[in-house]
């Protein structure tokens, strides 16, 4: 049985994860179709980061199933490197490589990991830097860039690997308010291009605008989910209502 | 930003009005010069008439002592190079994912890091053979080579800790970013982690080199003809005149100071420079 685009690109079934005694995920299930943008929201410590880090095997799980393009991730034999070529990730703290310029940060993985031709990679990388609106910053080191600029380089770096899906873990949470907009705009561009995105975010207006589906998590379970209109207007569960009343 | 204040604590700290040579102020240079000059002069005053002045004696011996000192430097550079090479491997062993490698590297590091250097030197001296037999060829194994090996043991252990500490000091986000971009662990280490560690490792590594250079005189205890051994021999052949002790050993002190002090200053400068960047 091979995977087709009619099947979910990412499919979680009854995922359980604990750190020692601490149970962080208690049976999470969700499906993401190709081209979908889903947003995961929920209080701090509810397991959102853990949830998306399981998808590219940065965390392992104890029970359940995670399929990425039909391939089981919760399998000791899984080729993590192949998986991570398909699943990109952008972090809250950008995590750019500070000893490399913006352009080198974008070019390094395609050259070293995918073994692509350097000249072509550079062409693509320059185009990506332009796409995230950082033309002219190619040779700047991360330390010389603002938080918003660094985060856009990080997005370009992830895109350079031509992933099928990108995970975003609160990518605007560490930014100065004035640079949040430019990063959200970049993600919005991606979503319009049809990139499959799984976002953890606290930006409700943004979630409402770009998401195809919203998931609300609390204490390791998905409490409630739905398309943005119904989710924001007709939240049923009291926990969701309370969270939304605090944040909106 | 400029601001007016009467509070002394709020005023910018005034330091190093004139940047002196290598951070040495005139009073420091004076002190060092005194050691170099007063010693011989006092000795000269004590010298019985009819004998060569201590200064003249020192001048006669200086070329030989300098050669001995250069031998100390050769020992220090060789022990540093050898210890660094093995220590780097041991340090990487300490962060290996293989538990056996990690634990044994840790143990070796701790063992040699917590041993007196002199004991390690004796250990190398008396445990290593005076020649080794490789395929019928007898390769001599002189004392100075044993001294280099003996001194490289503590260097190895300290470099191992420097490497481990530098790797651990990087934020885990660097590893995670590399992992999520499908780098292998080896690639992550060589392309992302270690290049960033070099800067952090340089100051402690140079500190270690200074300490090692000063420790090379330990080799005199096991009979290597380095500067201390030669000084002792020179004094003996001058008939053990007590007024010669101060100028001779003062001269040796001066040699080490002239060599090690700039290294120490450079280390401080590097530390400051990288502290600003990070
Ligand atoms: N590596 C880890 N080791 C132990 N506990 C962890 C680890 N990572 C996260 N946790 C714990 O798991 C819980 C969920 O964390 P996280 O997934 O980061 O939540 P969120 O992203 O929703 O704020 C928290 O209680 C956190 O302390
Ligand atoms: Mg989080």
């Amino acid at each position: 049985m091979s995977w087709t685009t009619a099947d979910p690109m990412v499919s979680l079934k009854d995922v359980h994860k604990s750190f020692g005694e601490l149970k962080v995920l208690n049976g999470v299930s969700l499906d993401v179709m190709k081209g979908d943008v889903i947003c995961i929201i929920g209080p701090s410590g509810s397991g959102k980061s853990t949830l998306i880090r399981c998808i590219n095997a940065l965390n392992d799980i104890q029970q359940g199933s995670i399929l990425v393009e039909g391939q089981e991730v919760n399998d000791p034999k899984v080729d993590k490197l192949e998986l991570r070529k398909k699943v990109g990730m952008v972090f809250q703290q950008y995590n750019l490589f500070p000893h490399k310029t913006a352009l080198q940060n974008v070019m390094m993985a395609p050259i070293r990991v995918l073994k692509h031709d350097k000249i072509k990679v550079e062409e693509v990388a320059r185009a990506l830097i332009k796409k995230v609106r950082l033309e002219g910053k190619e040779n700047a080191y991360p330390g010389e860039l603002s938080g918003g600029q660094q985060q856009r380089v990080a997005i370009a770096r992830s895109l350079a690997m031509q992933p099928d899906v990108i995970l975003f873990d609160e990518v605007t949470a560490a930014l100065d308010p004035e640079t949040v907009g430019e990063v959200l705009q970049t993600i919005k561009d991606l979503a319009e291009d049809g990139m499959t995105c799984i976002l953890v975010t606290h930006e409700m207006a943004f979630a409402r605008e770009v998401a195809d589906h919203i998931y609300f998590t609390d204490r390791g379970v998905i409490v409630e989910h739905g398309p943005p209109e119904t989710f924001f207007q007709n939240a049923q569960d009291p926990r969701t209502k309370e969270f939304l009343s605090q944040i909106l | 930003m400029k601001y007016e204040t009467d509070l002394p604590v709020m005023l910018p700290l005034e330091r190093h009005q004139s940047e002196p040579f290598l951070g040495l102020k005139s009073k420091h240079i004076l002190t060092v010069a005194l050691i170099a000059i007063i010693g011989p002069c006092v000795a000269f005053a004590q010298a019985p008439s009819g004998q060569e002045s201590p200064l003249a004696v020192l001048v006669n011996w200086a070329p030989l002592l300098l050669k001995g000192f250069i031998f100390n430097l050769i020992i220090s550079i060789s022990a540093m190079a050898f210890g660094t090479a093995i220590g780097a491997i041991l340090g990487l062993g300490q962060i290996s994912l293989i538990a056996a490698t990690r634990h044994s590297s840790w143990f070796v590091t701790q063992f040699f890091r917590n041993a007196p250097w002199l004991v390690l030197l004796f250990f190398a001296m008396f445990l290593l053979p005076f020649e080794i037999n490789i395929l019928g060829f007898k390769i001599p194994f002189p004392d100075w080579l044993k001294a280099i090996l003996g001194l490289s043991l503590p260097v190895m252990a300290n470099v191992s800790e420097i490497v481990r500490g530098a790797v651990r000091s990087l934020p885990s986000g660097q590893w995670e970013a590399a992992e999520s971009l499908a780098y292998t662990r080896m690639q992550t280490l060589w392309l992302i982690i270690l290049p960033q560690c070099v800067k952090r490792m340089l100051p402690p590594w140079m500190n270690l080199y200074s300490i090692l250079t000063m420790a090379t005189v330990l080799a005199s205890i096991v009979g290597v003809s380095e500067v201390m051994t030669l000084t002792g021999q020179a004094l003996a052949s001058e008939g053990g005149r007590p007024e010669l002790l101060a100028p001779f050993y003062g001269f040796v002190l001066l040699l080490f100071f002239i060599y090690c002090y700039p290294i120490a200053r450079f280390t401080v400068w590097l530390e400051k420079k990288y502290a600003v960047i990070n």
Side-chain angles (χ1 to χ4, degrees):
Chain A
M1 188 193 77
S2 71
W3 177 81
T4 69
T5 49
D7 303 316
M9 175 164 273
V10 177
S11 175
L12 277 65
K13 290 220 163 45
D14 194 33
V15 170
H16 290 257
K17 161 79 186 171
S18 37
F19 291 107
E21 292 290 291
L22 181 71
K23 295 184 117 197
V24 179
L25 300 177
N26 301 306
V28 172
S29 302
L30 59 82
D31 285 336
V32 185
M33 301 301 289
K34 183 173 162 57
D36 268 1
V37 175
I38 71 149
C39 286
I40 301 168
I41 63 174
S44 183
S46 61
K48 306 181 296 298
S49 298
T50 308
L51 173 60
I52 65 169
R53 290 160 57 94
C54 291
I55 297 172
N56 69 347
L58 280 185
N59 287 338
D60 55 357
I61 63 173
Q62 273 86 45
Q63 191 189 320
S65 155
I66 300 176
L67 296 178
V68 173
E69 294 185 352
Q71 209 198 344
E72 180 58 59
V73 176
N74 185 21
D75 172 356
K77 289 198 295 288
V78 68
D79 185 342
K80 289 186 182 175
L81 299 185
E82 284 308 314
L83 169 72
R84 289 168 186 161
K85 289 175 191 170
K86 288 187 280 195
V87 185
M89 183 154 192
V90 185
F91 300 85
Q92 181 174 340
Q93 299 296 341
Y94 342 126
N95 297 344
L96 290 180
F97 305 132
H99 60 306
K100 298 283 178 184
T101 64
L103 187 64
Q104 288 168 335
N105 262 281
V106 178
M107 288 174 63
M108 226 161 93
I111 293 172
R112 301 290 189 157
V113 176
L114 302 178
K115 314 279 184 211
H116 285 176
D117 177 63
K118 199 176 163 181
I119 298 185
K120 288 203 188 103
V121 169
E122 178 163 350
E123 215 171 283
V124 173
R126 287 188 184 278
L128 284 172
I129 297 240
K130 196 168 165 186
K131 185 183 165 73
V132 298
R133 302 187 177 89
L134 283 173
E135 234 178 339
K137 296 289 184 193
E138 287 85 353
N139 297 321
Y141 283 90
E144 301 163 344
L145 298 173
S146 75
Q149 291 172 330
Q150 288 190 59
Q151 194 59 291
R152 284 181 284 151
V153 174
I155 292 172
R157 177 176 72 172
S158 182
L159 285 173
M161 292 291 281
Q162 296 169 313
D164 295 337
V165 49
I166 304 190
L167 314 170
F168 294 86
D169 190 1
E170 298 199 40
V171 295
T172 57
L175 298 178
D176 294 331
E178 63 268 26
T179 63
V180 167
E182 65 199 34
V183 172
L184 293 182
Q185 183 58 48
T186 306
I187 300 172
K188 214 183 285 179
D189 293 347
L190 283 186
E192 274 158 22
D193 291 349
M195 175 60 78
T196 313
C197 299
I198 301 178
L199 297 132
V200 173
T201 185
H202 283 295
E203 300 288 336
M204 291 305 140
F206 172 76
R208 192 170 194 155
E209 190 183 337
V210 303
D212 296 303
H213 213 84
I214 310 245
Y215 291 85
F216 174 71
T217 61
D218 191 19
R219 286 176 226 148
V221 294
I222 291 173
V223 175
E224 193 162 1
H225 67 96
E229 315 80 57
T230 37
F231 180 85
F232 284 108
Q233 273 146 32
N234 295 314
Q236 302 297 317
D237 193 281
R239 278 187 282 179
T240 320
K241 283 183 190 162
E242 194 199 331
F243 178 76
L244 290 177
S245 71
Q246 280 168 359
I247 208 153
L248 289 178
Chain B
M1 190 181 71
K2 274 250 169 202
Y3 54 89
E4 301 288 319
T5 176
D6 293 330
L7 293 172
V9 287
M10 298 299 284
L11 291 170
L13 209 58
E14 298 244 352
R15 285 192 290 194
H16 294 297
Q17 273 105 346
S18 62
E19 186 55 40
F21 172 65
L22 286 171
L24 282 173
K25 298 214 178 83
S26 44
K27 62 180 177 192
H28 300 135
I29 294 175
L30 201 68
T31 314
V32 174
L34 280 180
I35 296 175
I37 292 165
I38 292 207
C41 289
V42 168
F44 183 63
Q46 294 171 340
S49 55
Q51 278 183 325
E52 245 187 318
S53 80
L55 203 56
V57 178
L58 178 59
V59 169
N60 287 340
W61 286 102
L64 182 72
L65 298 189
L66 260 175
K67 266 189 213 156
F69 180 67
I70 288 169
F71 193 43
N72 283 66
L73 299 190
I74 292 172
I75 293 176
S76 73
I77 291 168
S78 314
M80 196 65 191
F82 192 65
T84 301
I86 311 282
I89 295 170
L90 201 58
L92 293 179
Q94 285 203 77
I95 51 167
S96 166
L97 288 182
I98 304 163
T101 310
R102 196 168 58 240
H103 293 152
S104 49
S105 305
W106 175 85
F107 178 77
V108 172
T109 301
Q110 292 306 319
F111 183 80
F112 286 109
R113 222 166 82 93
N114 295 293
W117 291 33
L118 186 57
V119 178
L120 290 177
L121 198 58
F122 269 82
F123 198 72
M125 281 292 161
F126 302 120
L127 249 70
L128 293 171
F130 68 97
E131 60 180 18
I132 36 177
N133 225 324
I134 299 176
L135 304 170
F137 290 99
K138 285 207 167 83
I139 298 168
F141 213 45
D143 278 353
W144 59 268
L145 197 56
K146 293 186 194 174
I148 288 173
L149 288 181
L151 287 173
S152 66
L153 290 174
V155 172
M156 167 194 83
N158 281 284
V159 167
S160 173
E161 274 303 277
I162 291 172
V163 169
R164 189 186 70 105
V167 170
R168 296 258 325 243
S169 74
L170 283 191
S172 63
Q174 292 290 306
W175 285 97
E176 289 178 355
E179 263 183 276
S180 72
L181 288 163
Y183 286 94
T184 63
R185 195 173 160 87
M186 272 297 156
Q187 286 176 321
T188 307
L189 211 49
W190 286 107
L191 299 172
I192 292 152
I193 304 299
L194 292 179
Q196 295 185 57
C197 286
V198 170
K199 273 200 272 184
R200 291 160 194 250
M201 292 189 293
L202 212 47
W205 184 78
M206 296 204 342
N207 245 334
L208 181 62
Y209 177 65
S210 264
I211 294 170
L212 168 67
T213 305
M214 291 184 267
T216 53
V217 295
L218 292 176
S220 72
I221 301 174
V222 289
V224 176
S225 308
E226 50 69 69
V227 68
M228 281 297 276
T229 311
L230 292 178
T231 306
Q233 286 169 1
L235 287 168
S237 72
E238 287 295 331
R241 287 162 61 186
E243 72 273 17
L244 290 180
L245 290 176
F248 271 65
Y249 286 116
F251 179 68
V252 176
L253 277 179
L254 206 62
L255 289 178
F256 276 98
F257 182 80
I258 289 169
Y259 186 73
C260 291
Y261 183 70
I263 297 178
R265 291 301 302 181
F266 185 55
T267 309
V268 170
W269 179 79
L270 277 179
E271 270 169 351
K272 272 196 197 144
K273 185 177 153 205
Y274 295 145
V276 172
I277 291 172
N278 288 324

